[in-house]
Amino acid sequence: MPSTSQPVTPDPPDAIVRPLLTQSWLDLTFVHWAVDPADVAGLLPPGAVPDTLGGVTYVGLVAFRMHRVGWLRLPGVPYLGSFPETNVRLYSVDDHGRRGVVFLSLDASRLIPVLVGRLGFGMPYVWSRMRVRHDDDRTVTYTASRRLPGPRGAGTRLTVRRGEAVDGPTELEHFLTARWGMHGVFFGRPMYLPNAHPRWPLYRAELLECEEDLVTAAGLPAPAGDPVSVLYSPGVPARFGRPARPAGIPTP
């Protein structure tokens, strides 16, 4: 563990003036379970260890709509850049104290973005049949079923009902959502990819239905018991900066 980690802040520590990627994340549901840090440590990239709160770390199942992914300052792509996505993620911190997330899987419904993510960036994207459906103004259902590379048929069915707005996030809610980068391996080297977005508009949510096997498909034990946190957000626009090498030096 680093001697000093960055504080968990509701706003990004640095502005991203020249974004590498732009996109919006819409209709998000965050479902989290507590896990033993020892169960996830071996799944993190070199240079990163589990980020913990009170000696516990978490696995998140996050379902949402990706909207208009764009490169640099070009306009976002309307069709290929917009699609449902569901990811399984862990919480990480590196030797420089940078907090982030690690994606174990990213299911998406557009084949071309999946291929670009897998072949171009080495990210664990999976092509899946997916749908996000609003049953009424407070209830959302997310479905996913894997196509390639599998395991074929693995997926999710989540239904949540939005509750009251979160005026002041708890320490745990803050820890799980205020994440300003991702740890991963890009082009064979561990790197950190920073992101920035406005403060999350968050709502507590009731989990009406949860059928999923993406967590175990990612190499983790099956979640034990009910989630410790279920949140909903209408979404935010986001920017990703240029990746930083392990020494913390941004790439040119």
Side-chain angles (χ1 to χ4, degrees):
M1 286 288 292
S3 57
T4 304
S5 298
Q6 290 179 342
V8 179
T9 59
D11 299 301
D14 299 298
I16 295 176
V17 178
R18 295 187 300 166
L20 179 66
L21 285 169
T22 60
Q23 54 199 244
S24 291
W25 305 323
L26 305 178
D27 290 324
L28 298 96
T29 287
F30 303 85
V31 182
H32 284 93
W33 294 269
V35 292
D36 188 329
D39 289 338
V40 306
L43 299 174
L44 302 185
V49 297
D51 197 3
T52 60
L53 181 64
V56 177
T57 193
Y58 298 86
V59 56
L61 184 67
V62 184
F64 62 103
R65 290 191 298 115
M66 184 77 80
H67 184 64
R68 286 186 175 266
V69 176
W71 288 97
L72 305 174
R73 297 188 181 184
L74 298 174
V77 181
Y79 176 75
L80 290 177
S82 298
F83 46 86
E85 182 172 319
T86 298
N87 61 60
V88 176
R89 72 187 200 181
L90 302 175
Y91 295 85
S92 52
V93 62
D94 63 23
D95 295 338
H96 305 281
R98 297 173 297 195
R99 288 188 150 107
V101 299
V102 172
F103 293 109
L104 299 184
S105 64
L106 304 102
D107 286 66
S109 63
R110 293 274 187 266
L111 178 58
I112 290 178
V114 167
L115 293 175
V116 171
R118 288 187 71 89
L119 302 178
F121 296 94
M123 296 186 66
Y125 268 98
V126 180
W127 186 34
S128 298
R129 296 181 181 87
M130 308 188 75
R131 185 181 180 189
V132 179
R133 184 185 76 238
H134 285 264
D135 301 310
D136 55 47
D137 62 351
R138 296 177 56 208
T139 307
V140 188
T141 296
Y142 310 82
T143 56
S145 179
R146 284 190 173 172
R147 289 169 157 163
L148 295 171
R152 195 170 180 85
T156 58
R157 182 176 177 85
L158 301 175
T159 300
V160 297
R161 179 183 293 129
R162 174 173 52 84
E164 76 278 5
V166 177
D167 294 326
T170 65
E171 185 179 16
L172 175 60
E173 291 167 342
H174 199 40
F175 178 87
L176 297 174
T177 59
R179 295 279 146 174
W180 306 113
M182 60 170 287
H183 293 103
V185 177
F186 303 94
F187 308 108
R189 294 186 300 177
M191 289 191 182
Y192 178 79
L193 189 68
N195 71 72
H197 58 73
R199 292 190 181 191
W200 285 110
L202 291 173
Y203 295 79
R204 297 194 175 95
E206 179 185 2
L207 188 60
L208 302 179
E209 184 178 16
C210 181
E211 298 176 6
E212 70 82 27
D213 50 11
L214 295 185
V215 171
T216 54
L220 290 167
D226 294 331
V228 297
S229 175
V230 183
L231 296 169
Y232 172 83
S233 177
V236 292
R239 292 181 163 204
F240 282 88
R242 298 178 184 275
R245 298 189 182 97
I249 304 171
T251 56

